[in-house]
Coordinates of all heavy atoms in Angstrom, one line a residue:
I1 N 0.1 1.2 -8.2 CA 0.1 -0.3 -8.1 C -1.0 -0.6 -7.2 O -1.3 -0.2 -6.1 CB 1.5 -0.7 -7.4 CG1 2.7 -0.1 -8.0 CG2 1.6 -2.1 -7.2 CD1 4.0 -0.2 -7.3
W2 N -1.9 -1.4 -7.8 CA -3.1 -1.9 -7.2 C -2.8 -3.3 -6.5 O -2.2 -4.2 -7.2 CB -4.2 -2.1 -8.1 CG -4.6 -0.7 -8.8 CD1 -4.0 -0.2 -9.9 CD2 -5.6 0.1 -8.4 NE1 -4.7 1.0 -10.1 CE2 -5.6 1.3 -9.2 CE3 -6.5 0.1 -7.3 CZ2 -6.5 2.3 -9.1 CZ3 -7.4 1.1 -7.2 CH2 -7.3 2.3 -8.1
V3 N -3.0 -3.4 -5.3 CA -2.7 -4.6 -4.6 C -3.9 -5.2 -3.8 O -4.8 -4.4 -3.5 CB -1.5 -4.6 -3.6 CG1 -0.3 -4.1 -4.3 CG2 -1.8 -3.6 -2.4
R4 N -3.9 -6.4 -3.5 CA -4.9 -7.1 -2.7 C -4.2 -8.0 -1.7 O -3.3 -8.7 -2.0 CB -5.9 -7.9 -3.5 CG -7.1 -8.5 -2.8 CD -8.0 -9.3 -3.7 NE -8.5 -8.4 -4.8 CZ -8.4 -8.9 -6.1 NH1 -7.9 -10.0 -6.4 NH2 -8.8 -8.0 -7.0
L5 N -4.7 -7.9 -0.4 CA -4.2 -8.7 0.7 C -5.2 -9.0 1.7 O -6.3 -8.4 1.7 CB -3.0 -8.0 1.3 CG -3.2 -6.6 2.0 CD1 -2.4 -6.5 3.2 CD2 -2.9 -5.5 1.0
D6 N -4.9 -9.8 2.7 CA -5.8 -10.1 3.7 C -6.1 -8.9 4.5 O -5.2 -8.2 4.9 CB -5.2 -11.2 4.6 CG -6.2 -11.7 5.7 OD1 -7.0 -10.9 6.2 OD2 -6.0 -12.8 6.0
P7 N -7.3 -8.4 4.7 CA -7.6 -7.2 5.4 C -7.0 -7.2 6.8 O -6.7 -6.1 7.3 CB -9.2 -7.3 5.5 CG -9.7 -8.1 4.3 CD -8.6 -9.1 4.1
Q8 N -6.8 -8.3 7.4 CA -6.1 -8.3 8.7 C -4.6 -7.7 8.6 O -4.1 -7.3 9.6 CB -6.1 -9.7 9.4 CG -7.5 -10.1 9.6 CD -7.5 -11.6 10.2 OE1 -6.4 -12.2 10.2 NE2 -8.6 -12.1 10.7
N9 N -4.1 -7.7 7.4 CA -2.7 -7.3 7.3 C -2.6 -5.8 6.9 O -1.5 -5.4 6.7 CB -2.0 -8.2 6.3 CG -1.8 -9.5 6.8 OD1 -1.6 -9.8 8.0 ND2 -1.9 -10.6 6.0
I10 N -3.7 -5.1 6.6 CA -3.6 -3.8 6.2 C -2.8 -2.8 7.1 O -2.0 -2.1 6.6 CB -5.0 -3.2 5.9 CG1 -5.6 -3.9 4.7 CG2 -5.0 -1.7 5.6 CD1 -7.1 -3.6 4.4
D11 N -3.0 -2.9 8.3 CA -2.3 -2.0 9.3 C -0.8 -2.3 9.3 O 0.0 -1.3 9.2 CB -2.9 -2.2 10.7 CG -2.2 -1.2 11.7 OD1 -2.3 0.0 11.4 OD2 -1.8 -1.7 12.8
V12 N -0.4 -3.5 9.3 CA 1.0 -3.8 9.2 C 1.6 -3.4 7.9 O 2.7 -2.9 7.8 CB 1.2 -5.4 9.5 CG1 2.7 -5.8 9.3 CG2 0.8 -5.7 10.9
F13 N 0.9 -3.6 6.9 CA 1.3 -3.2 5.5 C 1.6 -1.7 5.6 O 2.6 -1.3 5.0 CB 0.2 -3.6 4.5 CG 0.6 -3.2 3.1 CD1 1.3 -4.0 2.3 CD2 0.2 -1.9 2.5 CE1 1.6 -3.7 1.0 CE2 0.5 -1.6 1.2 CZ 1.2 -2.4 0.5
N14 N 0.6 -1.0 6.0 CA 0.8 0.6 6.1 C 2.1 0.9 6.9 O 2.8 1.8 6.5 CB -0.4 1.2 6.7 CG -1.5 1.4 5.6 OD1 -1.2 1.7 4.5 ND2 -2.8 1.3 6.1
K15 N 2.3 0.2 8.0 CA 3.4 0.6 8.8 C 4.7 0.2 8.2 O 5.7 1.0 8.3 CB 3.3 -0.2 10.2 CG 2.2 0.5 11.1 CD 2.1 -0.2 12.4 CE 1.0 0.6 13.2 NZ 0.2 0.0 14.1
I16 N 4.7 -0.9 7.4 CA 6.0 -1.3 6.8 C 6.3 -0.2 5.7 O 7.4 0.3 5.5 CB 5.9 -2.6 6.1 CG1 5.9 -3.7 7.2 CG2 7.0 -2.9 5.1 CD1 5.6 -5.1 6.8
I17 N 5.2 0.2 4.9 CA 5.4 1.2 3.9 C 5.9 2.5 4.5 O 6.8 3.2 4.0 CB 4.2 1.4 3.0 CG1 3.9 0.1 2.3 CG2 4.4 2.6 2.0 CD1 4.9 -0.4 1.3
E18 N 5.2 2.9 5.6 CA 5.6 4.2 6.2 C 7.0 4.2 6.8 O 7.6 5.3 6.9 CB 4.6 4.5 7.4 CG 3.2 4.9 6.9 CD 2.2 5.0 8.1 OE1 2.6 4.8 9.2 OE2 1.1 5.4 7.8
G19 N 7.5 3.0 7.1 CA 8.9 2.9 7.6 C 9.9 3.3 6.6 O 11.1 3.5 6.9
Y20 N 9.5 3.2 5.4 CA 10.5 3.6 4.3 C 10.0 5.0 3.8 O 9.2 5.2 2.9 CB 10.3 2.6 3.1 CG 11.0 1.3 3.4 CD1 10.2 0.3 4.0 CD2 12.2 1.0 3.1 CE1 10.8 -1.0 4.3 CE2 12.8 -0.2 3.4 CZ 12.0 -1.2 4.0 OH 12.5 -2.5 4.2
D21 N 10.6 6.0 4.5 CA 10.2 7.4 4.2 C 10.2 7.7 2.7 O 11.1 7.4 2.0 CB 11.2 8.3 4.9 CG 11.0 8.4 6.4 OD1 9.9 8.1 6.9 OD2 12.0 8.8 7.0
N22 N 9.1 8.3 2.3 CA 8.9 8.8 0.9 C 8.9 7.7 -0.2 O 9.2 8.0 -1.3 CB 9.9 9.9 0.6 CG 9.6 11.1 1.6 OD1 8.6 11.5 1.9 ND2 10.8 11.5 2.1
L23 N 8.8 6.4 0.2 CA 8.8 5.4 -0.8 C 7.5 5.3 -1.6 O 7.5 5.2 -2.8 CB 9.2 4.0 -0.2 CG 9.3 2.9 -1.2 CD1 10.6 3.1 -2.0 CD2 9.4 1.6 -0.4
A24 N 6.4 5.3 -0.9 CA 5.1 5.2 -1.5 C 4.0 5.8 -0.6 O 4.2 5.9 0.6 CB 4.8 3.7 -1.8
L25 N 2.9 6.0 -1.1 CA 1.7 6.4 -0.4 C 0.6 5.4 -0.6 O 0.3 5.0 -1.8 CB 1.2 7.8 -0.8 CG -0.1 8.3 -0.3 CD1 0.2 8.6 1.2 CD2 -0.5 9.6 -1.0
V26 N 0.0 4.9 0.5 CA -1.0 3.9 0.5 C -2.4 4.4 0.7 O -2.6 5.2 1.6 CB -0.8 2.8 1.5 CG1 -1.8 1.7 1.5 CG2 0.6 2.1 1.3
T27 N -3.3 4.1 -0.1 CA -4.7 4.5 0.0 C -5.6 3.2 0.0 O -5.5 2.4 -0.9 CB -5.2 5.4 -1.2 OG1 -4.3 6.5 -1.3 CG2 -6.6 5.8 -1.0
A28 N -6.4 3.1 1.0 CA -7.4 2.0 1.1 C -8.5 2.2 0.1 O -9.3 3.2 0.2 CB -7.8 1.7 2.5
I29 N -8.8 1.4 -0.8 CA -9.9 1.5 -1.8 C -11.1 0.7 -1.3 O -12.2 1.3 -1.2 CB -9.4 1.0 -3.2 CG1 -8.2 1.7 -3.7 CG2 -10.6 1.1 -4.2 CD1 -8.3 3.2 -3.8
E30 N -10.9 -0.5 -0.9 CA -12.0 -1.3 -0.3 C -11.3 -2.1 0.8 O -10.9 -3.3 0.6 CB -12.5 -2.3 -1.4 CG -13.5 -1.7 -2.3 CD -14.8 -1.4 -1.6 OE1 -15.2 -1.9 -0.6 OE2 -15.6 -0.6 -2.2
P31 N -11.2 -1.5 1.9 CA -10.4 -2.2 3.1 C -11.1 -3.5 3.5 O -10.3 -4.4 3.8 CB -10.6 -1.1 4.2 CG -11.2 0.1 3.6 CD -11.6 -0.1 2.2
A32 N -12.4 -3.6 3.4 CA -13.0 -4.9 3.8 C -12.6 -6.0 2.9 O -12.6 -7.2 3.2 CB -14.5 -4.7 3.8
L33 N -12.2 -5.7 1.7 CA -11.8 -6.7 0.7 C -10.2 -6.7 0.5 O -9.7 -7.5 -0.3 CB -12.4 -6.5 -0.7 CG -13.9 -6.4 -0.7 CD1 -14.4 -6.0 -2.2 CD2 -14.5 -7.7 -0.3
G34 N -9.5 -5.9 1.3 CA -8.1 -5.8 1.2 C -7.5 -5.2 0.0 O -6.4 -5.5 -0.4
Q35 N -8.3 -4.4 -0.6 CA -7.9 -3.7 -1.9 C -7.3 -2.3 -1.6 O -7.9 -1.4 -1.1 CB -9.0 -3.6 -2.8 CG -9.6 -4.8 -3.3 CD -10.8 -4.8 -4.2 OE1 -11.4 -3.7 -4.3 NE2 -11.2 -5.9 -4.8
L36 N -6.0 -2.2 -2.0 CA -5.3 -0.9 -1.7 C -4.6 -0.4 -3.0 O -4.4 -1.2 -4.0 CB -4.2 -1.2 -0.7 CG -4.5 -1.9 0.6 CD1 -3.3 -2.2 1.4 CD2 -5.5 -1.0 1.4
L37 N -4.4 0.9 -3.0 CA -3.7 1.6 -4.0 C -2.4 2.1 -3.5 O -2.4 2.8 -2.4 CB -4.5 2.7 -4.6 CG -3.8 3.7 -5.5 CD1 -3.5 2.9 -6.9 CD2 -4.8 4.8 -5.9
V38 N -1.3 1.7 -4.1 CA 0.0 2.1 -3.6 C 0.5 3.1 -4.7 O 0.8 2.7 -5.9 CB 1.0 0.9 -3.5 CG1 2.3 1.4 -2.9 CG2 0.3 -0.1 -2.6
R39 N 0.7 4.4 -4.4 CA 1.2 5.4 -5.3 C 2.7 5.6 -5.2 O 3.2 5.7 -4.0 CB 0.5 6.7 -5.0 CG -0.9 6.6 -5.3 CD -1.6 8.0 -5.3 NE -3.0 7.8 -5.7 CZ -4.0 8.3 -5.0 NH1 -3.9 9.1 -4.0 NH2 -5.2 8.1 -5.6
V40 N 3.3 5.5 -6.3 CA 4.8 5.6 -6.3 C 5.2 6.6 -7.4 O 4.4 7.1 -8.2 CB 5.5 4.2 -6.6 CG1 5.1 3.3 -5.5 CG2 5.0 3.7 -7.9
T41 N 6.5 6.9 -7.4 CA 7.0 7.8 -8.5 C 7.9 6.9 -9.4 O 8.3 5.7 -9.0 CB 7.9 8.9 -7.9 OG1 9.1 8.4 -7.3 CG2 7.2 9.8 -7.0
P42 N 8.3 7.3 -10.5 CA 9.1 6.5 -11.4 C 10.4 6.1 -10.7 O 10.9 5.0 -10.9 CB 9.4 7.4 -12.6 CG 8.2 8.3 -12.7 CD 7.8 8.6 -11.2
D43 N 11.0 7.0 -9.8 CA 12.2 6.7 -9.1 C 12.0 5.6 -8.0 O 12.9 5.0 -7.6 CB 12.7 7.9 -8.5 CG 13.2 9.0 -9.5 OD1 13.4 8.5 -10.7 OD2 13.4 10.1 -9.1
T44 N 10.8 5.5 -7.4 CA 10.5 4.6 -6.3 C 9.8 3.3 -6.7 O 9.7 2.4 -5.9 CB 9.8 5.3 -5.1 OG1 8.5 5.6 -5.6 CG2 10.6 6.5 -4.6
K45 N 9.4 3.2 -8.0 CA 8.6 2.0 -8.3 C 9.3 0.7 -8.2 O 8.9 -0.3 -7.6 CB 8.1 2.2 -9.7 CG 7.1 1.1 -10.2 CD 6.6 1.3 -11.5 CE 5.8 0.1 -12.0 NZ 5.1 0.3 -13.3
K46 N 10.5 0.7 -8.7 CA 11.3 -0.6 -8.7 C 11.5 -1.1 -7.2 O 11.4 -2.2 -6.9 CB 12.6 -0.4 -9.3 CG 13.5 -1.6 -9.4 CD 14.8 -1.3 -10.2 CE 15.7 -2.5 -10.2 NZ 16.9 -2.2 -10.9

């Protein structure tokens, strides 16, 4: 899942996702532009 958000919110975004153990893995693609890749499994996508 490719997402874009305000770069100022990237840290909070990561912390929220990390708070849900094993839900998804976040990779910063272009942090200055707020572009992130969120990796999920078929079971966690929804």
Side-chain angles (χ1 to χ4, degrees):
I1 304 170
W2 298 85
V3 300
R4 186 177 303 129
L5 62 145
D6 186 326
Q8 294 178 350
N9 293 323
I10 290 175
D11 186 50
V12 174
F13 180 86
N14 279 325
K15 288 180 174 147
I16 290 170
I17 298 297
E18 287 173 359
Y20 291 86
D21 286 337
N22 300 316
L23 185 66
L25 176 66
V26 178
T27 303
I29 302 301
E30 280 289 338
L33 300 176
Q35 296 176 350
L36 307 175
L37 172 62
V38 181
R39 292 189 177 134
V40 297
T41 64
D43 292 342
T44 63
K45 183 177 180 180
K46 182 178 176 182

